[in-house]
Amino acid sequence: MQLFGFPQRFLVMYCVWKSVVAGPDAGLKTWERFSKLDYPGDKAFLYDIFPRNFMWAVGTAAYQVEGAFQKDGKGLSVWDTFTRGGNRIATGDVGSDSYHNIQADIRALKQLGVSHYRFSLSWSRIFPNGSRGSYNEIGTNYYRTLIRKLKEINVQPVVTIYHWDLPDHLQKKFGGWGNPALIELFRDYADFCFQTFGNDVKYWITIDNPFVVAWNGYGTGKVAPGIKNDTDLPFKVGHNLLKAHAVAWHLYDRRYRPRQKGKVSMALASHWIKPSRTRRESLRACQWSLDFVLGWFARPLFTDGDYPPSMKHRLSHRLPSFTRAEREEIRGTADFFALSHGPSLSYQLMDDSLKFGQVEVLDLRMLLYWIREEYDNPPIYIVESGWFVQGEIKTEDSKNMYYLKRFIMETLKSIKYDGVNVIGYTHWSLLDGFEWHREYDIRRGLYYVDFNTHNLKRRPKTSANFYKTLIQKNGFPQLPENRPAQGVFPCDFVWGVSANSIQVETTPTQQVDPSVYVWNISGNGELRRLEGHPAPPLRRTSRCADYASIRQQVEEIRLVGVSHFHFSLNWSSLVPSGNVSQTNTTLLGYYRCFTSQLQQANITSMVTLWHHTRQRSSLPAPMEAAGGWLHSDTVLAFVDYARLCYRELGAHVKMWVTLNEPNDDHVSFAEGHQLLRAHALAWRAYDQEFRHTQGGQVSLVLHMDWVEPAFSFSRKDVEPANRVLDCRVGWFSEPIFGSGDYPPRMRNWFHQLTSVDLFSFHLPLFSDEDRQLVRGTYDFFALSHFSTQLVTPTIEENKLASTLGVQYMGDITWIMSPRPNAPVVPWGLRKALNWVEEHYKGVAIYVVANGVQEDPARFSDSLRVYYLYNYINEALKAYTLDGVNLKGYFAYSLNDQRDPGFGLYGLVQDDAIAKSSLSQYRNIIRHNGHPGDHCILHC
């Protein structure tokens, strides 16, 4: 439903009205406050616990789960009628059949360990036609039994009197909530509920989500009773809902509170919105959006008994007005702020016209802070929160679990960091059920309900196990492995920096300009070139120091404070034809100069012979044209090229890398097999022909981002994670560092797939000769590591499984980097290092590339500062606590010129500018780790 007279962009003066307590638009400061918080530290996971007596709950709504829609005298509700009209497919006639499964629901609640259970009463089950005269004793006894059984397991009921299911008789007779007659009818119904159940109920919700009832029930028609096309009706409905709540609250306050000592509120739902632009007008528009959704009902209850000024200004005569007496009657009629947050509204039932041209996002923490500021820090009880998975998902609901983790984390931060008075959290929902306008297309329950079984059997999902554990721990208590480590690396630890390539200058700078200049020494000191008078040619040969680019790069590396520098040669430029007899001697001389100048600066070169890149081939063009690595001649040519480099550069290079990250998803198994042979032959060439004179070491670098089971407590997920690691890393590591063959798990997996596609999944066999050739061809284990992924065998939302039969995903509580699918997960490095140690006991390990992409314009690169500190700290834990034989660490990368966005140096025109991360890294190197206050350096 569109609001008449509401353009999508606004340049309208905003009417300011002074709030009674919190001040005018006090929540407006929220966006500015959060934009100034420490980044990325504020986004980091918070290990802490909730306050004592924090209320942990789950919730359901009667129509969604009860079923028994005409059982034992129940009358029809508007939902019973609505689901039988229009294009509706399914109904809630059975739902989760909780009416017949009280014991199963009680058992689920007991397993979870919640302290509170929010459920709703079905008005038409208690009063079938909506009035007391139609009282149904059997229906009422159902709720008496439920409450009694809850008390038996020490779970406190949180009871919603009205959750969208108006008796259909009241809709037909009075026109529903558009008629003020329902106010008194609701009062009488609430009176009965307080009187009948109140001795056992300490928390009451009068009406759930009045915005959805008014806007979508009587405006857009998306939910029951499905009325639309009357643009004034939603505001009349909202007016009556507020009055109905207020009379019920006053009734409880006067008649029942003194004896029952309970609390009453109205559950208000809201989305969150962020500015589309940084202008003040965008912030105002965000405030309006919240005013029209949450403030519509919250301001009358918590501030002054009247609607937000922005609504009154824009809606004019369309918005009903309160008399002074009515404002006093409504103001203050909430004992706590009952907040609903999730897909009952967000991204589901929000009209674009109510976003005022701004961007809807999920941010529970900012919403909580906005409520704190706007309504003078009320106690907030989150009475609905959570997300959903698709209907075909059964018990492994990974997305739901990680959203649950995120929302609870945001709640914890709001308490600990923002001073918000949150008193409880309710996950929605206990069970899968009928999901309103989405019917059974989605599932929100912690317990899976098999709708195809006679008794609708309940089974706990992974999210249920997670929530149960979280409740037991009352949050996320910090474990020893989560605390920063203090300590230092050994004195011979290698500190390095990496770059994919170096800047090449083929002609020495001093020999580029042959002109003669006159120096005006007595005047302005300028140099003036003499035209027509070239300088005589130099009689000396060029020297390595003549290359300005080498001097500059070596100086940049030296200032980082590292002892090693890792870079790659360009095979296709060095040997363009692939034949070493046709070497580019100029480029070879430059590389020789570069490595020798590094050596003079006491910096050891780690040189890669072949650097795999996805974007373009890095093979000599004739070899690429002849079939690339699939052709055996390429392997032999690579070994000749390796010998050339060993011979010409080996005096200055003590660490060689044959292949950099050959274990790429885009490399076929056949190519990988040939790459293993190429590496082995190149390694053996050095071992037999050069090692005794040069004393260097040779290995290869494997890309090793960590893969973690999405459900770490599920054996079903641990196996796929191990499979992915074997097929990504073990693919190359096991033949070289282990058995001389591919990992059994990898071979078995692809053997199964060959029955589907013989050619795409064929894993080559090693001959005895090749096995002997490849096995043991290493001097160290070098890996590059950047991020971590989660993996699950459960494929959801029409996503295609990878060839490894898994779905990759992320934890939405992780810090995100600008690079897609590359979150900042420091502990992943520690796990990767331990994986290598467990598989290849005692092997010397080097992390030769570790870094994060960040906006190149940010010279105060706080994300990279955070990244380096925490990843190196996890490496320190692997060394000091786990006994991993870690020999060195290389930050990636040196500068943005060669590796945009990853550099310790940024560029302004042609000048390299040190970023904040460079100082951070240099400081870590100087202290050889994280020594702490009481650690003594012995080096």
Side-chain angles (χ1 to χ4, degrees), residues 384-403:
E384 177 181 348
S385 182
W387 207 242
F388 63 89
V389 293
Q390 295 303 305
E392 68 271 13
I393 300 301
K394 295 185 177 179
T395 58
E396 290 203 345
D397 57 336
S398 55
K399 185 171 77 169
N400 199 23
M401 184 184 77
Y402 283 104
Y403 271 98

Side-chain angles (χ1 to χ4, degrees), residues 116-138:
H116 291 70
Y117 175 45
R118 182 189 171 200
F119 64 92
S120 73
L121 307 173
S122 170
W123 192 343
S124 59
R125 193 178 296 283
I126 295 173
F127 295 168
N129 72 5
S131 64
R132 192 183 287 258
S134 63
Y135 170 63
N136 177 16
E137 178 73 16
I138 300 177

Side-chain angles (χ1 to χ4, degrees), residues 221-350:
K222 292 179 180 178
V223 302
I227 296 172
K228 52 188 174 183
N229 299 325
D230 184 343
T231 56
D232 292 342
L233 184 58
F235 304 110
K236 295 176 183 176
V237 169
H239 206 67
N240 291 331
L241 288 168
L242 278 165
K243 289 182 177 182
H245 160 78
V247 299
W249 186 92
H250 283 290
L251 170 70
Y252 186 86
D253 192 52
R254 288 192 300 265
R255 185 177 300 176
Y256 297 101
R257 192 191 304 274
R259 176 167 48 88
Q260 296 178 357
K261 302 189 184 306
K263 296 182 179 181
V264 182
S265 192
M266 187 187 210
L268 306 181
S270 186
H271 61 311
W272 185 249
I273 200 94
K274 73 174 184 179
S276 59
R277 309 173 82 174
T278 56
R279 296 177 180 177
R280 188 73 176 175
E281 292 89 341
S282 292
L283 291 179
R284 290 287 188 197
C286 288
Q287 184 80 2
W288 299 336
S289 180
L290 292 172
D291 281 347
F292 271 76
V293 177
L294 181 56
W296 181 2
F297 299 93
R299 187 178 180 102
L301 298 182
F302 291 92
T303 304
D304 61 353
D306 205 354
Y307 297 117
S310 60
M311 291 187 72
K312 295 169 70 174
H313 177 71
R314 280 175 173 70
L315 293 173
S316 183
H317 64 279
R318 297 176 55 200
L319 189 67
S321 61
F322 293 112
T323 66
R324 177 174 295 181
E326 287 172 336
R327 289 198 296 271
E328 288 303 312
E329 182 78 3
I330 292 170
R331 182 170 64 91
T333 57
D335 301 320
F336 56 95
F337 198 113
L339 176 65
S340 172
H341 175 261
S344 292
L345 175 62
S346 296
Y347 295 98
Q348 304 285 323
L349 295 173
M350 270 293 297

